[in-house]
Each structure stands twice: as C-alpha cells, then as structure tokens.
Amino acid sequence: MLNSKVPQGPLAEKWTNHKNSIRLVNPANKRSIDVIVVGTGLAGSSAAASLAEMGYNVKAFCFQDSPRRAHSIAAQGGINAAKNYQNDGDSTYRLFYDTVKGGDYRSREANVYRLAEVSANIIDQCVAQGVPFARDYGGLLDNRSFGGVQVSRTFYAKGQTGQQLLLGACSALSRQISKGKVKLYNRHEMMDVVVVDGKCRGIIARNLVTGEVERHGAHAVILASGGYGNVFFLSTNAMGSNVSAAWKAHKKGAHFANPSFTQIHPTCIPVSGSHQSKLTLMSESLRNDGRIWVPRKKEDAQAVREGKLRPVDIREEDRDYYLERRYPAFGNLVPRDVASRAAKERCDAGFGVNETGEAVFLDYASAIERYGKTEANIRGLENPSASEIKALGTEVVKAKYGNLFDMYKQITADNPYETPMKIYPAVHYTMGGLWVDYNLMTAVPGLYAAGEANFSDHGANRLGASALMQGLADGYFVLPYTVGDYLADDIRTGPISTDHPAFEAAEKEVTERIQHFLNNPGDTPVDDFHRKLGRIMWNNCGMARNADGLKQAIADIRALREEFWKKVRVPGTATQYNPELDKAGRVADFLELGELMCVDALAREESCGGHFREEHQTAEGEALRNDADFTFVSAWEYTGDPSEAKLEKEELVYENIELKQRSYK
Amino acid sequence: MNLTLKVWRQNGPEDKGRMETYPVSDISEHMSFLEMMDVLNDQLVRDGKDPIAFDHDCREGICGMCSMFINGEAHGPGRGVTTCQLHMRSFKDGDTIYIEPWRAQAFPVIKDLVVDRSAFDRVIQAGGYVSVNTSGNTIDANTIPIPKADADEAFNAATCIGCGACVATCKNASAMLFVSAKVSQLALLPQGQPERELRVKRMVEQMDKEGFGNCTNTGACEVECPKGISLTNIARMNRDYLTASLKGE
Amino acid sequence: MSNKGLFPSSLSKKYAMAATGLFLCLFLVGHLLGNLQLFQSGEAGRDAFNEYALFMTTFPLVKVLSYATYFGILLHVVDGILLVRANRAARPVRYVKENGAANAGWSSRNMAVLGTVVLAFIAAHMQNFWYVMHFGEVSTYAIDGVEVKDLHGVVMEFFGPANGMALGAVLFYVIAQVAIGFHLWHGFASAFQSFGLRSEKYTPWIEGAGKAFSVVVPAAFASIPVYLYIIQLS
C-alpha cells in the first residue's frame, strides 16, 4: 500500500502544521546542495527560481531553445484563485470543493485543499512580479467565470494568461540565472534518471545541438516535464511535449498514477484533414458568452454539412442548444468532460456540422446582441438599430476575446463575428501522471514531480484555469518547503559524483538506444508510427472506452511497437542537431505509455470524469461512478512490460466531502 | 497545389550553407506552412535524405519558436501571424517560395533554418524582471490599483513572444522592439518603478554586447511583429534610457 | 559591437544622430532664408545678397554657428558611418531574398545612401561657393563705403551662360535637393522617435510636419538654381 504521507489534523490546518514541523536546511548548507529541475514551464520555472532564491544550486533543463517557450505559454483562459474579490461567496473551501467535485472525486483531499489555500498567494506573487492581469476601470483585478463552478474566480490576461504567468515565472528564473544560482541547460533533453543506492541522484541529459550525452549529479531531481497528451498524436499540446522524462522515471521505480485520465477539451478547432499536425484550442472562457448548438433537424445538419444551408439562416426554434437543454443549472458552463461527451453524442447521432460530421457550433450572436444592448444603454443611445447594437456588441466581444477570434479566423478563414465558430473536442490535458505523496515526492526517494507531470490534484477531470494554479502552487509554494525536508539528510553528503556505476550504466543504455535508432535498417518515418498510435488511442482510449476496444488497442499497440523497432528510419547522426532522432526517442516511450493507459482504462470498471466506460453509464447516458470499488488511485509499478505493470492502490479517503454522483443539471 | 521551395541548407554552425531547390506537390490550401514542411520532410526521410531542420513547437502562434524568413519577410507574407499560423491559402499554385533562417550576428545558425536565440534570454537576464522574492508574502494583489489603460498597455507590450522576427526583419538586425517591449511593460507598472532606470541601462548594455544592430526607425519590426508590438515601446525605451543616462549613476 | 570611445551605447549614437540631424534642419531653414534673397532682382538684390554674405562671413556669432554647423555635419557623418558599420556587422550573411518594401518606406531603408549623396553635394557646393568666396578670386566693390565681395556675381555666373556646364550644375543641384528631401522624409520624424518623443496625439503632427518640411525646404532650395538659370537664358 502506498503511503501518501498526508499529515494528521484538521484539513484546514494540515499544510500549516506540516510546514511548521518539517525540517529546514540552513543557508550555509543549502549552498552545498544541488537540485535539478527538468522542464521550465510554470511548475519548473517557479520551482527552479524559488529553490535558487532559497540558496540551493539549481540546474534547469528544457528541450526548447528558451525556458519561456515551455508549453504553459499556450494556456489561454486564466488562473483560479480563491480571492473572493467579486464577493460572490467564494472561499478556500469552495475552491477545494469545486475542484474535488469537478475531478469526480478521484483526487486527494489534502493536496487539493492545500492548492486552494495557496491559490490567493499566487495572484499576489504574480502581480508583484509585474504580470499584467486584466483590470477593471477602477484599476482593480478583473475576474471571469469558468466551467464547472458558479463563482467568478478566474484571473486572466486576455486569452494569454499562461503566457503572462510563464513570462513572470521565467523572469524570476532569469533573475536567478543572472545571479549564477541557476545554470540553464536549454536545448537539452532528459534521457534518464539515475538512481544510486535507492535515491535519485541525477540525470542523463543530451545536448540536442551537439548530440553530446551528459551526466548531471544532484541531491534531488524535480520533474516538471508536463503532460503526455501527445500520445494521441493530435492534441492541443506543443509538438515537442512528451512523456519521456516521466516515463524514464517510471521505469526507474516511480509509479505512474491514473494514466488513462485524459482530458478531452470541448472547444477546439475541428480536424480539417489528414495533413493535420496538431489541434488548436479555443479557450474555455469562450463558453462564458458563447452558446453551443447543433441543428435540431437532421436534414438541416445534412444541408449545413453540404454547404447548402448557412447556420445563421437556421431559425431559433430549429436549433438545439443541447447543453442548456440537458444541464439547465450550468448550461454551457458544465465541466469539460461533460461538454465533450455531449458534443460527441450529438455528432454520433448525426447532427455534426462540418464535412467530417465532427463539429458543433459555438455561437456568439446572442452575446454580441446582449453586450451591444448594454453598451447602448451605457452610452445613452435611444432606440439603437440592430446594426448599431451589433457594432457595439462586436466591439465588446473583440475587447474580451479578440485574439481568440483572430486565431480562429487565421486557421479556418471563417469570420467568427459573422458566422458561428465550429468546434469539436480534442485531447488537451492529462490528469494522470507520476504518483507523488503529499510532499510531491515519487516512489523514488529524492525524485519529485510537479505540475501536469504529477497526478495529484485534478482527479479524473480538471476544471478550467486550474492547471496554471497547480503549476505555480507546486513550484512557488509547495516544493520549496517539502524538498528541504528531504534534503535535510543530505547536508553532509557533498557533491554527487557522476562516476558511480549507476551513471555509467544509464549513460550506456542511452547511447545504445540512440545508436540503435541510427543504425536501424528501416524505411518508415517516426511520424507514421506516431500517427498510427494516435489513431488507436483516440478510437479506443478517447472520449468513450469499452473493454473490447481497449483489449484490441493493447494488442494493436504491442504490434505497432514491435514494428516500430524493426522499421523505423532515423536519418542523420548523433553528433549534430537531429530532430528526427529526438522524436524517435519520444515516440518509443509513447508506444509503451499508450499500452499502460489502455491497461489502466480497462482495469477501472467505472466511469468517472474524463474516463467514460460505455459499460458504466446511467439511463440518460451520464457517467456512472463506482465508489464502492474504485475510490482509489491506480498507481502502476513498472515490471519490464507495460501490460505486466503491477497495480498499487492508494485508497482515497474523503473526510470533508461527501461523495455524490456529480450533477450539473 | 504544386510549389517550388528554395530552402537554406546549412549542416551546422561551421558550414557555409547554400540554397537548395525542392519541388513539393499536392499541397492543400488548408495546410499550415509548417505542415507543408512536414510533407517535404516526410518525403526526404523516405528518400533517405537529410530532412530540413526548423524550429517549431506550439504551432498556435504563442511559443515563439518557429522562425522562417519566407519570400523576404519574417514569418512570410501574413500580418499578425507566426510561421505556424501562416496557411498555404496565402500562396498560389506554381509559386516559388524562398525559405531562409533568421539572419543576424547575434542569432548564429545551428542547422538549416534553426538559429540560436539565447541572446534574447541574456538580455532579459540582464534586468527584465522585478526583483521580488517568490515567497508569496508580498502585499495583496489589489493593494495598488493600476489604471486600466496602463495595465492594458503593459499587457500589449508583454505579449511579445520573443520569436526574433523584429531582428530578422530589421535591415540592421536590431533588437530594439524586443528589448523595449520588456522595458515598457515594467516601466508602465508600479511594480517596475524601483528598478526602472537600472533596468533600461543594463538591458541596453547587454543588447549592445550581443551584437544587435542599431535602430533606424524604419518601422519594419512593428509591421512584421506577429503580436503587433508597437514602436511606441521603442520610443519609451529611448526616453527612459536618456533620462537614466542624464541622471547618471 | 564595441561602444567604447565616442559613444557609450547604441542609443547614444542615435541621440547624437537625432540631435545633429535636427540641428542641421534648423541650419537648412537659416540657409534657405538667406538664399531666398537671390530671387530679388536688380542692383538692390545684388547688394542685399552681398551684404548678407559679408555679414555671414564676419559676424562673430555667425562664425560660432557656422563652426557648430561644420561640427554638426562632421558628427552626423562620423556617427552615420559608425552606425552603418555596426549595422553591417550585425548581419554578416545577407538574405538571398529580401522584400524590404513590404514593411518599410524606401527612404528609411536608404538613409546611408541618401546621406552619402547629400555629403557629396555639400562638398561640391562648398567647393563651388564657399571655397571661391574664401580663397578664390572674387571681384569686390563698395556699398556705402564698405568693401564687399561680389558673391552674387559668382552665383549668377555659375548658373548662367558664362558657365558652359550650367545646365549640368542646375541638374546636379536639383538632384541633390531630391536626395535631401528623401533623407528628411524619414529623418525629420525619426529624430523625434530617437529621442522618445512619440505619442498617439502628437506623432501624426510631427510626421506631417516632417513630410511638409522635407518637401517645401528642398523644393525651395532647388528652385533657386532653376530660377537663376532661366532668367539668364534670355
């Protein structure tokens, strides 16, 4: 049984008590301790900056050319914080409750409460760093609402909140780099973690420019390497986002928790063709004001698909605002998993609205009208004409969502101010990840995981604007304390030598794998395998899953993996910049992870959050949880073959929240 | 559509480099420019040739990684877009397209179309931050109201994605737009005031050290900037630097 | 790029460029006002211009100003050369395909070329008149008992039938003014930007003034040789 090390005591006091009781490292000793941080997104940058500021010697690694390009940059909508600036009844407890409920009761209470508790501090910190959040005319911070909640607690910077927060965290990182406390290794990929005498003592990294394989020793290693949505090939993740760091940790003893918990985001730009390399998200904030619908009549949907009928010509009574119909209490703001499944249900039933039949409308016409009327009132216009109202409303919408609308137009060549946008769900985020205890330490002592790379806070479904919150909470406010507790034992250890046989063995393995790729007499590009894997995953381990499909998928993935190792062709050499080689390594790991995801999905005989097993649904087609048998975290231990992974369970104990069937009706 | 690509190939920093010609066929107008490059690379790998190295990551115009000089313009003919957001509908069947890396002394070529932009990071490290500790024990976020106009302008400056199109497009390879965007963002906010003068001096000094050119105020950077960063930021930096220099240490 | 020596940073080079540029704009205005006297016909015009020339070569404050102008030109040129060298060094490998017209005005992209033409013109112009006035043989006569050099005569002769190359000279002067015009078209407003003087409200005015200046002043200058040439044709 895994020990989550959740401190005793009442929920609201756990973190404070824990902070007061954990051990500290004095400033002089910190100077002789090295910490490695892999990944420079919100969690990685903030952790590296904070630890360096405390006095540790930090080495930060990112595969991008600059830490600022980590994929946190692409988060659009916002960051939650229980500030209750809007006086709408928000509180730490309510943020905690919403997050646990939104996660369909599959997250760890104590972690989520701590997240809610530190959330307010994140906003203070970011503002102090010069993050330009949106403000109202009084000069104070503005908020908006997001899916799955009934308060406005989301802070934002237009549709570029992730960018602004990451630049803030990177500025803190830059400050420490300039002081020499952080050494940055950009264009470096982590190839393996090194475990010496049961403790994580460093990593093997590869300089992507020169191809050199390097050993880096440290007293502790933090993986903040993001999620693994790219196992689906098509996702909203960046092209380089990968699972390799987490997977290597898994193979060295870290448990992989809830790998099948994948978030399918309901509002993405639909796939347009087989050439597609990635999918683009349209921020969830658009669901604040936009209304989602499909035609009520199948013949209308057919006509729209064939381009014979314009959506704006479909009469109001012939439209099916299916989210408002099915979930009157939350309407268009139901959580992501619910919204995604509802879209799939309509499209599967034949109401899809693009050529592929896999798209629904996201309509701003009524928002434009509503804002236009308000604006006309503000300006004192009497009896404004419909076109005046539209012009005024368009202006308001432009100010709020302009960059998103521009992006949509750029990609689709449609003007969303004039015609409803077309959207469809796409893989966006992975709630699963490395299993960590309350201190964010994996099952390998000294190896930590933060941000999307760990599993801890979002259960089976993440609420919008919570990923940024978690990344920064882990990096700024959790790890700096908990890592110190572990390192207190290491003040006499001295520098970690990289001559240990464990380093040698790890490096050898890395080098051999690279040589295998380069010498393999194959003929098929890496992307071919990645695309095939993605199709298997999307069809069988996507928005809806069933036992037969998952079993088939496992068999298919195993066959594909075998073929990959035989037939993959990697051009170029190991001593120069070689993106195909980097990709090959990542896809090799995805080919193992994909199998584990299916194994996990198969084992979890219930529907919860993003994990929807067709065998387990209510008569109305809603997810049916099985709390009696599955209120646990599935933490998988590597045994040499993904299908043979050993399942360890962490029972989830709910002392402060009553488990209920989620209802947004 | 069918196209002829003339692409800069350079096998490493030491290689001299040259343009090479590649025909591509059956390109859909819905493809992004990078997806078109994917098609070409796929073909090159299958033919046992060396695929073209280019930088890219998020493919939605925010990470700032992609960087191609297309037909004589940074990020190609589109306005307000990065290379990854440029779609093939901007081109015609039969077009010849020139693709080159960003060219600047401060951005050495790593391979083909990939350049090293760490110079930008070093400029930020020289002072593009507020020296506040990450303890979280600062003042409440709403303690200092910031006029919406200032906050919005700071945000507009802060939307810079650090792609380097300004440098690439400037006839002098000047980094003024990039540097001034960060200087401006912090100069517009109360949190940036204590270090305002020191910051601009240090960042300009680092900018010069990296070997970027001077600003001739042609305005090309503003036109080509995928995020529409304004020349007003350069003016603000000029002003701040002048003030800081006149005051002395 | 090294910033040791004359200028501490790339921005100070730009301030110097802007300051000298704007100062030289002022010089242009003064020079033009004086030269407009050439439009005055007859003896009165000749006397007025020659008295003005005497004043300009002898009055102490004007002397100071003229040295300031030489210095301004010199600094503008030296600074310009430093800038161009640094800018060339900033892009050692040129693009194979460039499309500068897509994003910037022609004059802004060719300031150095235009400046070189202007510099060549200044040299020729000073050789034509300043050198002759100071070191050449110029006939003198007395106005109210004061001996003056007949610079007016030199000018008339230079653009008149006595000079076999007069038409070429006129053409050269007009072309030089076109170059100055283009140089100012960008330079005038650019100087304000270099000093950071930019605002949504005033910048359109500065740009408008710059464009007006860059058309009116060179046009007025260019009209002088044309006028002098034409009136002496008959």
Side-chain angles (χ1 to χ4, degrees), chain A residues 194-215:
Chain A
V194 180
V195 178
V196 176
D197 302 331
K199 285 181 172 180
C200 181
R201 288 304 194 190
I203 64 170
I204 304 295
R206 183 166 173 269
N207 180 331
L208 298 181
V209 175
T210 63
E212 203 178 328
V213 176
E214 305 165 355
R215 303 176 189 182

Side-chain angles (χ1 to χ4, degrees), chain A residues 319-340:
Chain A
R319 299 177 177 196
D320 178 13
Y321 296 94
Y322 57 87
L323 287 176
E324 297 169 33
R325 168 170 60 79
R326 285 178 67 178
Y327 309 101
F330 280 69
N332 292 297
L333 282 178
V334 290
R336 292 174 173 175
D337 54 334
V338 177
S340 290

Side-chain angles (χ1 to χ4, degrees), chain C residues 70 118-138 151 154-155 158-159 172-173:
Chain C
Y70 301 145
V118 174
L119 183 64
F121 166 72
I122 292 172
H125 182 52
M126 288 184 73
Q127 155 69 30
N128 297 343
F129 301 114
W130 180 89
Y131 182 81
V132 173
M133 178 76 173
H134 283 83
F135 307 108
E137 292 202 358
V138 183
L151 183 62
V154 174
V155 175
F158 187 74
F159 294 115
F172 174 62
Y173 271 58

Side-chain angles (χ1 to χ4, degrees), chain B residues 19-39:
Chain B
M19 295 299 276
E20 278 185 21
T21 307
Y22 302 93
V24 285
S25 46
D26 296 328
I27 298 300
S28 147
E29 59 164 22
H30 296 300
M31 283 183 189
S32 73
F33 198 86
L34 296 185
E35 283 163 354
M36 184 272 295
M37 295 297 289
D38 289 343
V39 170

Side-chain angles (χ1 to χ4, degrees), chain A residues 17 43-44 101 126 130 177 219-220 286 302-303 310 322 475 555 589 635 656:
Chain A
N17 290 343
K101 178 188 171 191
C126 293
I177 294 172
H219 298 83
L286 289 170
Q302 177 78 19
R310 295 190 316 154
Y322 57 87
D589 294 333
N656 301 275

